[in-house]
Amino acid sequence: MREGLIPTVLGTVVTASSAAFLGSRYKMAATGVLGFGLAHIVLGAIDLFEHR
């Protein structure tokens, strides 16, 4: 399995699930989790491109 694939997929799932909560009363928490998911996507993508 390629290095960086798991954090990228995990980040995608976390970002998608937190985007669903942006309209709820937990908007601040959803925004924080959204940033956490986006950070996983970026760092996982860096690993994917770095270890080609």
Side-chain angles (χ1 to χ4, degrees):
M1 185 176 287
R2 293 184 58 179
E3 188 173 341
L5 187 62
I6 292 174
T8 305
V9 171
L10 176 70
T12 304
V13 171
V14 169
T15 302
S17 62
S18 66
F21 285 110
L22 281 176
S24 71
R25 66 181 197 184
Y26 302 112
K27 186 173 183 171
M28 288 298 292
T31 304
V33 175
L34 182 75
F36 186 71
L38 289 174
H40 270 80
I41 292 171
V42 169
L43 294 174
I46 289 171
D47 276 345
L48 282 172
F49 287 119
E50 199 174 82
H51 295 101
R52 277 188 138 177

